[in-house]
């Protein structure tokens, strides 16, 4: 082996290919081994020899609880955690001593049978896990070997290998997306196995790697990836790809995580970054816990009670034998233990008789109790649950599968339900319904929530659709003032035009199919975005194509031989012609690929605009997309920097009203007030709202900002934080355009289901990012809240808080909101105690928004919030972030613990 390692070092000698590959890294190289920096790892793509030196984790995974060596000791350790088994183990040991009046067989054999049955059940369930692991590890995947695709098992995949994943296939490891058969280097991913979402996610490869589709092309790929160490964060990734002396930043959208599946794409090509137990899904997986049901824990308490009674009986009997022992009762003694009948040593007689009596009275605790329960649960899971036709899913031919029988008796004992809104209570099928542009509200439709609210108040009306109503998937808008170009006759046509262009440009939607309004299909990461782009199309701003500058530039940045103006594709894609500054860049700077990639994203967005100047006129306009500031749960907004054909630089931004209003320029008081009223009206109708704004940029300001943006995008440390900080520099002084309102209808049967759950005594907490008015009305429509309930509403949308927010002093804002939340929580809790003590005892409901919740979750106020929620039948948290959802869920767990504690100590008064 040492000689083999020596030959490996010789491969990495000076002038060798491996030496050249390793030397490109920025880490220090010692001999033939490249040490890994503590903050990141270096991966050589398509080079197993270089990666071998680092000893990366293999791709074989195991989710079993035991293995051959640990099964017996670990299994016995688990079994003796049960009080009864430990008790019978002690009895069996005592029965093997001379003080036992019975044969050891009477205790040892039943205990062995109990342990044998329990261990067989554990082994059977773990064997099923092992078979599942083997099926996954032996699944085949195409790996590039010797310029051709070879099918190898997943477990033999290594870090740095180039793989090909076909349509509907699962990703065998965490892959860096290189290329796909779809145009523009995109693919569609289903992440249901990770987060439960069935919406397809769009992933887009780096332009530099789009050509690596065929084995011949991808064999020439010799890139180096410097990225973060393995971690359990599913939605973050920081790294750089070094290829052809270029450093290209890598984002989470370039990662294809293990467990996800490929959809709507013939195949993709990627390189393995994290494998096996270092993949993000495996790092999020917990070890198989030892699950114990409530019934089993109660049995342990019952056994402890019986043991205590048995100990008292044996103690009394042993003390009595020590007091009344006498030689004349010689016929009662054991021949082997004369010490038990020695009146001169009564203490020894008491001690020995104690063990004898424990052995004699041991049958008071039935050893068959656990065996009976184990067999019942095993048969129930394998024969009843797995064969239950009511739990059979016909569409996917999927029966119920009980992976463990330890928690069967917990079924049906649910007391609390924590539910999201979108996709759970609603259908997650968004439709553009209403909007507000320049302070004017548009849209005459009546939402499902409005109809439910009217019916609740005893109002009946019929909804009439006008003849101008346009029906399109994702578009359910009805207002003749905007449709078919009528917006040109409105008092604010320029604002309407900006509104529609923002919808058509500020997004990450990809078009598919024929480039006609009737046949085109939009693929989006969320149905909201698809609905907004569909709305722009129906208003006459038809987004139909992305044009990539790589279509104009040749490989490596070398332009085609003919002039750009002579290229028919170039003329068609960029009509009207691009500005002179861009043509100069094309003619003089195209060979400098680094400069081009740093200046902008090589992408044009083509929009067919109708009814702009006069009715019936259609013109194709190409906007150059320079930067995309993506949406995330922290930013709650998305921005796009684009260049118009005339050279105008514009930042379009859309997001939640709270974050947009904080970044608006001064002097829009009336527009802000009117739009806020429209937002509240839309929210009361149960609609999802977004605010739209824009900002004109100067060339100097943009160039200075873009340099900082590129630096942040290439950073290996705290990239997301730095990008957010850079975005703050440009996402300010915005001009408000208006807002959109999207309807997401309720799932069928949701109101009756929630009503049934409420009657069963189950408490329901709904956590949503919607506005408070939207959340309350949806809670009414779902019958989570009704008019008979007493509602406690804690909101940051008060006149006092708005007045402080307008002044912009962040310290004062935080102080005022915290004091308001503290006072409201105290007042609501006192009122709740009063209602509980009253004769009527109405049901209580708590509604709180995200800003107030941020302060209510402070350790000082958290106890008050918990005490208040203890008395509520329903809790609605609105405008909450994913982090706050996790914190509220933790608060709910604390609530359950408190209830259990109260029930144990019998403190009904404190409840």
């Amino acid at each position: 082996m040492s000689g083999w390692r020596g030959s490996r070092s010789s491969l990495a000698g000076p002038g060798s290919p491996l030496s050249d590959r390793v030397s490109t890294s920025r880490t220090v190289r010692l001999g033939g081994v490249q040490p890994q920096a503590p903050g990141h790892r270096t991966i050589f793509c398509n080079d197993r020899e270089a990666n071998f030196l680092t000893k990366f984790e293999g791709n074989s995974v195991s989710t079993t609880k035991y293995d051959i060596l640990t099964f017996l000791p670990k299994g016995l350790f688990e079994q003796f955690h049960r009080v009864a088994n430990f008790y019978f183990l002690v009895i069996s040991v005592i029965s093997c001593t001379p003080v036992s009046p019975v044969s050891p067989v009477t205790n040892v054999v039943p205990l062995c049978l109990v342990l044998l049955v329990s261990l067989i059940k554990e082994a059977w369930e773990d064997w099923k896990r092992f078979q599942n692991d083997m099926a996954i590890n032996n699944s085949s995947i195409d790996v590039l070997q010797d310029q051709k695709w070879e099918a190898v098992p997943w477990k033999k995949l290594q870090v740095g290998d180039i793989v090909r994943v076909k349509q509907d296939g699962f990703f065998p490891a965490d892959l860096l997306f290189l290329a796909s058969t779809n145009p523009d280097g995109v693919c569609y991913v289903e992440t249901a196995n990770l987060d439960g979402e069935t919406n397809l996610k769009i992933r887009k490869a780096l332009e530099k790697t789009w050509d690596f589709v065929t084995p011949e092309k991808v064999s020439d790929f010799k890139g180096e990836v410097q990225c973060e160490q393995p971690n359990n964060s599913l939605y973050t990734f920081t790294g750089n790809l070094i290829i052809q002396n270029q450093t290209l930043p890598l984002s989470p959208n370039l990662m294809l995580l293990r467990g996800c599946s490929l959809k709507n794409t013939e195949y993709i090509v990627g390189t393995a970054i994290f494998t096996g137990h270092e993949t993000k899904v495996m790092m999020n997986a917990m070890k198989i816990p030892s699950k114990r049901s409530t019934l089993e824990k109660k049995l342990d308490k019952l056994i402890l009670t019986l043991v205590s009674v048995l100990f008292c009986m044996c103690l009394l009997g042993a003390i009595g034998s020590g007091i009344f022992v006498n030689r004349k009762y010689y016929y009662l003694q054991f021949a082997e233990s004369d010490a038990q009948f020695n009146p001169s040593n009564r203490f020894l007689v008491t001690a020995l008789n104690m063990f004898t009596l424990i052995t004699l009275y041991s049958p008071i605790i039935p050893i068959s109790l656990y065996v009976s329960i184990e067999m019942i649960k095993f048969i129930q899971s394998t024969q009843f649950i797995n064969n239950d036709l009511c739990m059979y899913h016909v569409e996917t031919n999927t029966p119920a599968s009980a992976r463990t029988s330890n928690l069967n008796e917990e079924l049906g004992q649910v007391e609390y339900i924590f539910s999201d809104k979108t996709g759970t209570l609603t259908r997650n099928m968004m439709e553009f319904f209403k909007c507000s542009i320049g302070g004017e509200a548009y849209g005459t439709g009546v939402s499902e929530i409005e109809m439910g609210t009217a019916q609740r108040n005893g109002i009946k009306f019929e909804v009439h659709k006008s003849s101008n109503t346009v029906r399109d998937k994702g578009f359910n808008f009805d207002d003749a003032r905007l449709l078919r170009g009528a917006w040109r006759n409105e008092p604010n046509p320029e604002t309407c035009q900006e509104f529609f262009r923002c919808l058509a440009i500020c997004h990450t939607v990809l078009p598919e199919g024929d480039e006609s309004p009737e046949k085109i299909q939009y693929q989006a990461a969320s149905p909201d975005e698809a609905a907004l782009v569909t709305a722009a199309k129906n208003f006459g701003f038809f987004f139909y194509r992305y044009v990539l500058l790589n279509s104009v530039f040749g490989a490596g940045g070398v332009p085609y031989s003919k002039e750009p103006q002579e290229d028919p594709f170039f003329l068609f894609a960029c009509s009207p012609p691009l500005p002179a500054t861009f043509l100069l860049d094309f003619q003089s700077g195209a060979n400098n690929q680094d400069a081009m990639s740093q200046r902008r994203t090589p992408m044009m967005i083509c929009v067919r605009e109708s009814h702009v100047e006069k009715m019936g006129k259609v013109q194709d306009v190409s906007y150059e997309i320079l930067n995309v500031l993506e949406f995330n749960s922290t930013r709650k907004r998305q921005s796009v920097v684009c260049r118009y054909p005339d050279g105008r630089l514009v930042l379009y931004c859309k997001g939640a009203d709270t974050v947009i209003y904080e970044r608006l320029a001064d002097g829009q008081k009336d527009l802000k007030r009117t739009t806020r009223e429209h937002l509240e009206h839309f929210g009361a109708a149960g609609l999802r709202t977004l605010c739209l704004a824009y900002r004109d940029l100067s060339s100097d300001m943009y160039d200075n900002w873009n340099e900082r943006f590129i630096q942040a995008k290439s950073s290996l440390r705290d990239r997301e934080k730095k990008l957010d900080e850079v975005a703050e520099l440009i996402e300010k002084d915005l001009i408000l355009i208006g807002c959109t309102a999207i309807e997401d209808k309720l799932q069928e049967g949701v109101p009756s289901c929630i009503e049934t759950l409420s009657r069963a005594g189950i408490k329901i907490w709904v956590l949503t990012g919607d506005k408070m008015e939207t959340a309350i009305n949806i809670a009414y429509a779902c019958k989570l809240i009704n008019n008979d309930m007493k509602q406690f509403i804690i909101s940051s949308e008060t006149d006092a808080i708005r007045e402080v927010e307008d002044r912009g002093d962040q310290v004062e804002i935080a102080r005022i909101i915290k004091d308001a939340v503290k006072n409201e929580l105290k007042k609501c809790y006192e009122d709740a105690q009063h209602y509980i003590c009253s004769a009527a005892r109405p049901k209580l409901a708590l509604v709180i928004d995200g800003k107030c919740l941020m302060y209510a979750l402070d350790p000082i106020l958290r106890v008050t919030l918990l005490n208040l929620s203890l008395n509520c039948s329903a809790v609605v948290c609105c405008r909450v972030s994913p982090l706050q959802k996790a914190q509220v869920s933790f608060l709910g767990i604390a609530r359950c613990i408190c209830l259990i504690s109260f029930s144990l100590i019998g403190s009904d008064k404190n409840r």
Side-chain angles (χ1 to χ4, degrees), residues 859-872:
I860 299 175
L861 302 178
R862 188 182 300 168
V863 176
T864 309
L865 177 64
L866 177 60
N867 290 334
L868 174 60
S869 64
L870 283 171
N871 300 293
C872 296

Side-chain angles (χ1 to χ4, degrees), residues 74-90:
K74 196 172 180 180
L76 290 175
F77 180 78
E78 293 286 343
Q79 293 303 317
F80 287 124
H81 263 68
R82 293 174 172 175
V83 175
N85 288 346
F86 182 75
Y87 165 76
F88 285 113
L89 175 64
V90 174

Side-chain angles (χ1 to χ4, degrees), residues 45 115 282 313 387 408 411 422 778 865:
C45 303
L115 295 177
M282 293 305 298
M313 293 170 55
N387 298 324
N408 290 0
L411 298 176
T422 304
I778 288 177
L865 177 64

